[in-house]
Amino acid sequence: MKAAGGLKIVGSSFEHLLPSQGVASTDPLALYQPVMNALEALQKEIRNLQGLPLQIRQISAADPQFRYASTKAPFLNPSQCQMDPANVYVQFEGSNRWPDDIAAVQRTKIAFLLKMGELLEEAIPNLSARLALENTNHKLLNNAFLDILYPSGAFFRLRIHHERELNLLERTLKDKSHTQASQEENASALSTYKRNFVQAPLHTQVVRTLSTRFPLLSPCIRLMKKWRDSHLLSTHISDELIELLTIRTFVHPGPWSPPDGVMPGFLKTLTFIAKWNWRSEPLIVDFNGEMGSKEIDAINLRFEAWRKIDPAMNRVVMFAASNIDPDGITWTDLGPLNVVAARFTSLARAAAAVAKEQGLDVDPQALFAPSMLDYDFVVHLDPEFVGGQQGPEKAAEPVFKNLKTQAQEDKSLVGFNPVRMYMDELRTLHWSNIVFFYNEQGGSVIAGLWNPQTGPRPWKIGLQYNTMPVASSGDGEGYVSINKSATLHDIARLGGDMVSRIEVKK
């Protein structure tokens, strides 16, 4: 923008891409103060509960909203919940009263959460606490959580961390009598436990500390996540990986000083992603500058071992390690896929090239404009079902048509997101034949790429997708290929009124 005397100020247009939530402050962390205060109140009230069978040992925050890193800063509104559920873990003191079986531990957690919900509703007027189940088909994973909705609009999702689960999972994994499929499930459950209950609270604590040390870190992380979401990579690139990439810009700025603005912090992070050869180089982030050569060598050795075990990168594509996570796969074990990682790099390379070419005249909006040209098909969603911007500017909430009139008052709909549920169903049903892309912060489209392996192949029993016969090979063997038309009809039928149309690339 132009200032007095012909002075041109650049960079502020990048900051304006982030919603202010109506808070006029030069401190980017002030946006999060209401939810931080609500968390402190929740911790105090849980510790004061009378009637629990065991004493509380620890209450841990494990959510981007508690580390100043959520794409949208939480906004508390007493008349309507506009805050995403924020994850909190409660750990009770050790006791031999806990069962020695993982499935029984999950049932015990349910009983504890029910009791906590009853006590909280008795202690706090107008508070709503409701139990919900998750991972019901996986007895080794956490099975229950407690949603806590305060009259202020603060919304917490409470889970119980029982440290004995770690030993039980490790013991189960060492049992060689299990089948290979069972062993893979056990290994996945152990990895999930460590990620959710061990690493997530540690990561939240470290990023929160760094955000107070570098005041510009928070808006830079949020802007990087907005860029990721804008390009439909929300479900592939984890929040924590984006945070590590951005933190690297601040803690390893050499040979320059840390970024002194949101614009340079954002562009420097994009430039690093564009140049990062993740196929042959691990990401190593030293939060406090205290990692020695021995620790770094150990991480590099672990990375090389993964590349030898998995040269095709079917399991681990990007390797991101830090002081608190030398394993390097905590935040990348579930993705991205190779094709997605390549797209992530190419998008960053294109954005960095545009920024370098246009210099101070770069249009920030252009860097966030997604292209649909590379996708095989695009599912367009009805705007009525797409969650909108949070905050005083727009209080949109995704609802079904027959629930529209009661959505504002019915607390049972708090946290209800039909598009996200639709996406989960699509990934569950079509994980082997389609890669889906979506903006979880309110995207209006779902894009898809067909898996090349669904092309013409010999027919066999057990193919996990709808097929149709294609021209036979010269030896007379029958060949089949994925029935794209039928699959797209299934996708449309599953989405129902949410899907307005499907555009197919010709």
Side-chain angles (χ1 to χ4, degrees):
M1 65 179 180
K2 291 287 186 180
L7 180 65
K8 183 178 181 180
I9 301 176
V10 298
S12 60
S13 53
F14 281 84
E15 298 178 45
H16 293 160
L17 293 174
L18 295 172
S20 65
Q21 308 294 54
V23 178
S25 173
T26 56
D27 179 10
L29 306 188
L31 296 168
Y32 292 83
Q33 197 55 49
V35 75
M36 293 298 186
N37 294 339
L39 172 64
E40 186 177 345
L42 174 68
Q43 292 173 328
K44 182 178 180 181
E45 284 148 0
I46 289 178
R47 292 189 181 278
N48 289 337
L49 291 178
Q50 300 295 323
L52 291 175
L54 293 173
Q55 294 294 317
I56 301 290
R57 174 188 291 179
Q58 188 174 3
I59 303 174
S60 305
D63 195 273
Q65 297 177 84
F66 296 136
R67 53 184 184 255
Y68 311 109
S70 56
T71 307
K72 297 177 181 177
F75 177 75
L76 303 189
N77 185 346
S79 64
Q80 183 186 32
C81 180
Q82 299 172 27
M83 173 183 166
D84 291 330
N87 294 312
V88 177
Y89 300 140
V90 172
Q91 184 177 4
F92 289 92
E93 64 180 4
S95 171
N96 55 13
R97 298 165 64 183
W98 281 94
D100 202 32
D101 176 79
I102 295 181
V105 166
Q106 302 309 326
R107 299 297 181 269
T108 305
K109 286 184 180 183
I110 292 175
F112 271 60
L113 291 173
L114 282 171
K115 185 63 176 177
M116 293 178 70
E118 293 173 2
L119 294 174
L120 284 169
E121 288 185 330
E122 291 174 3
I124 305 168
N126 298 321
L127 178 139
S128 172
R130 55 181 183 174
L131 182 78
L133 300 180
E134 61 181 352
N135 305 317
T136 53
N137 296 325
H138 303 276
K139 66 177 183 178
L140 300 180
L141 300 179
N142 185 75
N143 283 166
F145 58 82
L146 185 71
D147 276 350
I148 302 171
L149 177 60
Y150 273 82
S152 64
F155 187 17
F156 301 102
R157 181 155 290 173
L158 192 70
R159 293 178 176 86
I160 293 178
H161 170 204
H162 178 46
E163 60 183 3
R164 176 70 176 147
E165 283 183 87
L166 177 61
N167 296 330
L168 295 174
L169 288 168
E170 289 177 339
R171 187 173 69 188
T172 303
L173 190 61
K174 291 177 182 177
D175 187 352
K176 301 304 181 182
S177 64
H178 294 288
T179 64
Q180 182 177 351
S182 180
Q183 284 292 79
E184 290 177 357
E185 183 181 0
N186 296 339
S188 176
L190 180 60
S191 175
T192 300
Y193 171 89
K194 291 180 178 179
R195 179 171 56 252
N196 292 342
F197 293 113
V198 179
Q199 286 297 331
L202 282 174
H203 183 82
T204 296
Q205 185 178 358
V206 169
V207 177
R208 183 192 301 176
T209 302
L210 289 172
S211 294
T212 57
R213 176 182 165 193
F214 301 106
L216 293 172
L217 177 60
S218 172
C220 284
I221 288 175
R222 295 173 60 206
L223 197 59
M224 276 302 306
K225 289 183 179 180
K226 182 180 177 67
W227 180 83
R228 171 204 62 183
D229 297 337
S230 298
H231 291 286
L232 312 185
L233 299 176
S234 299
T235 58
H236 296 282
I237 311 294
S238 68
D239 281 344
E240 292 80 6
L241 178 56
I242 292 292
E243 290 159 17
L244 288 174
L245 288 166
T246 312
I247 288 170
R248 184 201 170 279
T249 301
F250 285 81
V251 299
H252 303 298
W256 303 280
S257 58
D260 56 0
V262 174
M263 176 181 175
F266 170 71
L267 294 179
K268 284 183 178 180
T269 304
L270 275 182
T271 301
F272 171 77
I273 296 171
K275 295 180 178 180
W276 177 30
N277 185 357
W278 39 265
R279 295 176 179 84
S280 59
E281 298 174 10
L283 173 69
I284 303 176
V285 181
D286 185 359
F287 293 130
N288 50 25
E290 296 180 356
M291 290 182 71
S293 58
K294 187 176 294 185
E295 290 87 351
I296 294 176
D297 289 343
I299 290 174
N300 282 314
L301 188 62
R302 194 171 290 113
F303 169 76
E304 292 171 4
W306 268 111
R307 287 295 182 256
K308 290 179 181 178
I309 295 171
D310 181 26
M313 293 181 286
N314 294 320
R315 166 81 184 275
V316 176
V317 177
M318 290 181 166
F319 187 97
S322 68
N323 309 60
I324 62 173
D325 180 29
D327 289 345
I329 63 170
T330 300
W331 312 120
T332 59
D333 192 22
L334 300 179
L337 300 170
N338 209 325
V339 63
V340 178
R343 180 165 180 78
F344 183 52
T345 300
S346 64
L347 288 169
R349 190 176 294 125
V354 170
K356 182 177 181 180
E357 179 183 347
Q358 299 183 3
L360 299 181
D361 296 323
V362 63
D363 177 14
Q365 293 286 358
L367 303 182
F368 290 78
S371 171
M372 300 292 118
L373 298 179
D374 296 329
Y375 299 109
D376 293 324
F377 64 89
V378 178
V379 180
H380 294 265
L381 303 174
D382 190 319
E384 181 181 0
F385 298 93
V386 177
Q389 177 182 337
Q390 297 186 61
E393 297 93 343
K394 182 178 179 183
E397 182 175 324
V399 293
F400 283 119
K401 286 194 296 188
N402 61 329
L403 299 176
K404 181 192 273 187
T405 57
Q406 58 181 328
Q408 301 262 334
E409 298 127 8
D410 191 350
K411 290 184 179 179
S412 68
L413 293 178
V414 172
F416 174 66
N417 190 322
V419 177
R420 188 170 297 175
M421 295 168 67
Y422 177 45
M423 274 295 301
D424 290 341
E425 287 286 339
L426 289 178
R427 285 195 295 265
T428 300
L429 294 172
H430 302 285
W431 65 270
S432 65
N433 52 301
I434 302 174
V435 180
F436 291 100
F437 298 82
Y438 175 62
N439 179 356
E440 284 193 328
Q441 297 301 319
S444 60
V445 297
I446 296 174
L449 288 175
W450 300 108
N451 186 335
Q453 295 182 358
T454 59
R457 60 182 299 173
W459 180 87
K460 68 175 183 178
I461 297 175
L463 290 178
Q464 298 179 337
Y465 49 86
N466 193 323
T467 60
M468 60 184 296
V470 294
S472 299
S473 62
D475 56 10
E477 186 177 7
Y479 272 60
V480 296
S481 179
I482 188 170
N483 190 334
K484 295 181 179 179
S485 177
T487 301
L488 292 176
H489 276 93
D490 288 342
I491 290 173
R493 183 166 56 251
L494 181 64
D497 290 340
M498 281 189 291
V499 176
S500 61
R501 74 181 195 278
I502 297 181
E503 184 180 351
V504 182
K505 182 179 178 180
K506 296 181 180 179

